Amino acid sequence: MDLAALRAKTPDHWKLATAIRVLAIDAVQAANSGHPGMPMGMADVATVLFRNHLKFDAKAPNWADRDRFVLSAGHGSMLLYALLHLTGYEQATLEEVKNFRQWGARMAGHPEYGHLEGVETTTGPLGQGISTAVGMAIAEKSMAARFGKKLVDHKIWVIAGDGCLMEGISQEAIGLAGKQELDNLIVLWDNNNITIDGRVTVSDVTDQKARFAASGWDVLSCDGHDAEDIDRALTAAKKAKRPVLVDCKTLIGFGSPNKADSYAVHGAPLGDAEIKLTREAYGWEHGPFVIPADIKAEWEAIGAKGAAERAEWEARLAALPAGKRAEFERQMARGVAPKLAGAIRAFKKAQSEAAPKVATRKASEMVLAAVNPVVPETIGGSADLTGSNLTKTSDIEDFMPGNHKGRYMRYGIREHAMAAAMNGMYLHGGVRPYGGTFFCFTDYARGAMRLSSLMGVPTVYVMTHDSIGLGEDGPTHQPVEHLAICRATPNTWTFRPADVIETAEAWELALSSERTPSVLALSRQNLPTLRTKHEAKNLTAKGAYVIAEAEGKRQAILMATGSEVEIALKARALLQAEAIGTRVVSMPCMELFAAQDEAYRKRILPAGGVRVAVEAAIRQPWDRWLLGERGMERKAGFVGMEGFGASAPAERLYAEFGITPEAIAAKVKSLL
């Protein structure tokens, strides 16, 4: 490619794009780590986007009606960091650029949400960014439908690479976006035909443009190094009536005489000799990290071009009736709905009196029927299991083209994209998402669920059919290790409620959370209401509490969750009949119990006596409470699963696997 000709054709553009390239090259070289090739290749596209099309104000990075820009190809993080620095984001200083990938740096190896303003989501695991962006586009449509286009009218722009499009989650996401006709979503494909192993063609033959077209997208193409051609394509993309893929044909490592268009420039510094040659090829005569004042000023002017539009938007917001303005600001700031706590208290009181015997998945539906009318920002959904997850309430309609006021998503059999889209909805602001599938299918959603925890995004995962208690579907559908996996994930609340009251309390916590996602593991089988005396306090917030005290001298403590609390209470009755004083502790959320002070934990789990944990899952997460916290191994036991389940009615399975009141009582007596 003739660099001199491109430089002569659009000299102003050339110097702006080159500033991105050299910053990326220098930062990766200084860190001796990183991915310079992608920023070098996509600098032209990014320059045209930020200069001519992206609606933003660098001095107001959280402006609600800004366009969202997602770098799905997160390994090319220096592209984003360079743009944020050049356009004048306050946190994106030159010192931060120089500190790229070092301890304490805002500019982490891959973009990390919450570290640096202007980073809209954590990316790096390929495919997550484009999928999260679908959720942002859904949230934009929902907010526009509820508050009007004078307040909400913006685009979601994505730069995605070949790897993003190879990951399976991307097909789930683009299929969902195509079905929803999300014309506010534009994906710029860095089509450079290079992965770590070499050419894309060593592992893939997919016609990506045909694939997107088949999924309901408009598909455009441009020369990713011709500023005028890029501008033409992006202008057309903004006018489309469906989501758009723009095929940007680029050279990875553009301008590097010896490494461009090869995997050698994908994930390693260029080296001093190649950097010198590349600077010469660019016609860039400045040293490392030096951006001439005139170029920096021009970039900062680009960063300020949205200020007038933002001021006009702020005037429109200020002109709203006070109540509507306050509600918009609350939802965008992700504040807790003011009527949530009252609705939960009223629900708990009514249910403790009615004492229904219902599956906790049904209890969840009952809670949502009380919550959805008073929390207008909820958007629910299910991965094609609505009738099993019970996630749709009668007061909400489907979100679909032509009805963006609908608050229920039909995700289809797309657990992974559902989870990523929910992350995107929350990150956009204005939406509290929840979505359901079977608990064992957390396996299919794991990548995005991990990012919920990592980013501090309080997505709510409604995971039903939580144990062998689902019965006849057998071990493929019976989760036994999944509670341990969820509990092992940092910054996750894993709730396994024992009845309708604990289910309501779990929902209150999940919808009030500021930075922690929640997994609600809910039963298929009916469970009795165990707490029939109304308690206004949210006991689940403590993580564990005494649900039945020992009569006489306490000799044993039974700990259980979910459907096994009822069984533990029956075991207690057997033990008490033999004058063995037995306390039962319900532990709906281990993470919240671990967060309590030691004095509280000591009251619930005092020293002495026997401890037995009961759960229709593997033992692993219970050892802290059995062996630690004043416990003793010789006085500790577990009643639960040691392997996978089987296909049979639930009652038969519990009997065959020894999760019965009699087995629990026998375990206690063997340890006394």
Side-chain angles (χ1 to χ4, degrees):
M1 186 169 286
D2 190 342
L3 272 65
L6 286 172
R7 181 181 177 188
K9 182 179 180 181
T10 51
D12 289 342
H13 165 87
W14 178 267
K15 64 183 181 181
L16 294 173
T18 302
I20 296 173
R21 292 184 174 108
V22 294
L23 277 178
I25 290 170
D26 292 341
V28 171
Q29 184 69 18
N32 195 30
S33 173
H35 301 74
M38 181 273 189
M40 295 165 71
M42 282 297 280
D44 291 308
V45 174
T47 298
V48 173
L49 172 61
F50 273 66
R51 190 183 192 189
N52 299 345
H53 299 280
L54 193 73
K55 181 171 73 171
F56 76 110
D57 179 357
K59 300 305 181 186
N62 298 312
W63 171 26
D65 200 36
R66 70 193 181 280
D67 283 356
R68 305 311 197 258
F69 172 62
V70 174
L71 184 67
S72 188
H75 54 277
S77 56
M78 268 311 306
L79 175 71
L80 175 56
Y81 298 153
L83 287 161
L84 297 179
H85 168 66
L86 290 168
T87 54
Y89 281 74
E90 183 178 350
Q91 293 182 349
T93 64
L94 186 60
E95 285 306 307
E96 288 289 349
V97 176
K98 292 178 178 179
N99 203 33
F100 173 58
R101 286 189 165 223
Q102 305 308 299
W103 176 261
R106 291 184 184 274
M107 296 183 179
H110 293 82
E112 299 282 359
Y113 174 73
H115 289 211
L116 177 67
E117 290 179 335
V119 175
E120 302 283 6
T121 181
T122 294
T123 55
L126 294 176
Q128 290 293 333
I130 185 175
S131 306
T132 302
V134 171
M136 293 180 179
I138 290 168
E140 194 274 346
K141 290 294 187 185
S142 174
M143 290 292 286
R146 286 184 282 132
F147 289 96
K149 292 184 76 67
K150 288 184 178 180
L151 279 189
V152 184
D153 187 14
H154 52 266
K155 300 287 189 184
I156 316 298
W157 298 85
V158 181
I159 287 180
D162 294 305
C164 294
L165 303 192
M166 276 197 229
E167 286 287 358
I169 188 175
S170 69
Q171 182 56 45
E172 295 184 25
I174 69 171
L176 178 62
K179 168 61 182 175
Q180 292 294 342
E181 300 176 13
L182 298 176
D183 60 357
N184 56 348
L185 177 63
I186 302 171
V187 173
L188 311 176
W189 171 29
D190 177 19
N191 179 9
N192 63 38
N193 195 38
I194 294 292
T195 66
I196 292 173
D197 277 1
R199 297 279 171 195
V200 169
T201 49
V202 305
S203 60
D204 193 50
V205 296
T206 303
D207 183 335
Q208 295 290 357
K209 292 191 286 186
R211 171 189 170 214
F212 274 78
S215 300
W217 289 54
D218 286 349
V219 177
L220 306 173
S221 299
C222 69
D223 179 339
H225 298 298
D226 184 322
E228 293 175 354
D229 198 38
I230 297 165
D231 188 63
R232 171 198 58 77
L234 270 55
T235 300
K238 291 192 295 185
K239 298 174 182 177
K241 302 301 182 185
R242 305 195 298 177
V244 180
L245 175 76
V246 182
D247 171 8
C248 305
K249 188 60 185 149
T250 63
L251 283 177
I252 191 171
F254 178 76
S256 170
N258 298 303
K259 296 186 177 182
D261 194 30
S262 77
Y263 66 90
V265 76
H266 171 83
L270 268 67
D272 291 335
E274 189 68 11
I275 289 173
K276 182 176 184 295
L277 294 173
T278 304
R279 273 180 149 78
E280 291 172 357
Y282 290 155
W284 189 265
E285 300 175 351
H286 315 286
F289 299 107
V290 175
I291 304 296
D294 61 324
I295 296 177
K296 185 66 165 71
E298 191 168 344
W299 265 116
E300 289 182 357
I302 292 169
K305 67 182 173 62
E309 190 170 1
R310 175 175 62 84
E312 293 170 1
W313 178 88
E314 288 174 342
R316 294 195 297 274
L317 178 66
L320 288 177
K324 185 175 182 179
R325 182 176 69 251
E327 183 62 10
F328 176 82
E329 290 175 338
R330 179 192 70 79
Q331 291 186 24
M332 286 304 301
R334 308 177 181 95
V336 178
K339 295 182 180 179
L340 173 64
I344 294 293
R345 280 196 302 272
F347 177 86
K348 284 170 58 181
K349 188 173 189 302
Q351 299 308 317
S352 62
E353 293 170 356
K357 184 173 184 178
V358 293
T360 51
R361 62 169 177 163
K362 178 62 177 179
S364 172
E365 180 187 43
M366 294 159 61
V367 176
L368 287 170
V371 163
N372 278 335
V374 299
V375 187
E377 64 268 33
T378 56
I379 291 184
S382 170
D384 199 54
L385 288 167
T386 297
S388 294
N389 301 146
L390 304 181
T391 39
K392 187 178 189 299
T393 55
S394 60
D395 60 304
I396 58 175
E397 299 176 339
D398 286 356
F399 179 99
M400 63 176 65
N403 186 22
H404 290 148
K405 288 186 178 180
R407 292 165 56 196
Y408 194 77
M409 294 297 304
R410 304 286 183 172
Y411 287 106
I413 304 93
R414 302 184 179 107
E415 294 89 352
H416 204 177
M418 175 180 74
M422 290 196 294
N423 286 340
M425 290 180 210
Y426 185 85
L427 289 166
H428 175 276
V431 172
R432 279 268 180 178
Y434 67 88
T437 186
F438 287 174
F439 190 32
C440 62
F441 299 149
T442 54
D443 290 340
Y444 287 141
R446 177 62 49 198
M449 292 177 72
R450 181 175 184 269
L451 285 185
S452 303
S453 303
L454 180 62
M455 291 189 285
V457 171
T459 307
V460 184
Y461 296 100
V462 183
M463 301 303 191
T464 69
H465 297 60
D466 68 337
S467 73
I468 62 169
L470 68 88
E472 292 85 347
D473 274 336
T476 59
H477 283 51
Q478 292 168 5
V480 294
E481 75 273 35
H482 299 75
L483 284 167
I485 292 169
C486 292
R487 289 166 178 160
T489 305
N491 190 39
T492 296
W493 289 339
T494 305
F495 294 102
R496 190 165 184 250
D499 68 357
V500 65
I501 305 300
E502 286 190 359
T503 303
E505 292 177 339
W507 265 112
E508 181 181 19
L509 294 163
L511 291 175
S512 303
S513 174
E514 295 181 354
R515 290 194 51 80
T516 302
S518 298
V519 176
L520 275 61
L522 305 173
S523 75
R524 177 178 184 263
Q525 69 270 42
N526 290 338
L527 305 177
T529 300
L530 302 177
R531 283 168 50 188
T532 54
K533 181 181 178 182
H534 176 57
E535 170 70 67
K537 185 186 296 184
N538 189 322
L539 299 183
T540 298
K542 292 289 191 180
Y545 62 94
V546 177
I547 195 167
E549 187 53 279
E551 297 174 11
K553 180 183 178 183
R554 185 183 63 249
Q555 299 181 64
I557 297 176
L558 304 180
M559 301 177 288
T561 72
S563 46
E564 286 72 72
V565 176
E566 175 193 9
I567 300 172
L569 288 168
K570 291 178 179 177
R572 173 187 176 274
L574 296 176
L575 291 164
Q576 288 288 167
E578 298 185 41
I580 300 171
T582 303
R583 168 186 287 187
V584 178
V585 171
S586 179
M587 194 177 289
C589 183
M590 288 186 180
E591 298 83 18
L592 287 174
F593 184 52
Q596 304 307 308
D597 59 40
E598 185 177 3
Y600 178 78
R601 300 198 313 272
K602 189 174 183 179
R603 285 203 304 274
I604 304 303
L605 297 178
V610 167
R611 291 186 193 176
V612 173
V614 187
E615 193 169 64
I618 63 170
R619 171 174 169 158
Q620 187 176 359
W622 284 100
D623 278 350
R624 172 173 178 176
W625 316 113
L626 289 170
L627 310 181
E629 298 286 332
R630 297 157 299 279
M632 297 178 290
E633 186 164 7
R634 64 185 176 84
K635 293 287 187 178
F638 178 72
V639 175
M641 300 296 292
E642 296 181 355
F644 294 104
S647 180
E651 296 82 0
R652 181 67 181 271
L653 291 170
Y654 272 81
E656 292 290 345
F657 287 110
I659 308 173
T660 64
E662 294 77 13
I664 298 167
K667 176 68 74 172
V668 168
K669 289 189 285 186
S670 74
L671 295 168
L672 285 173

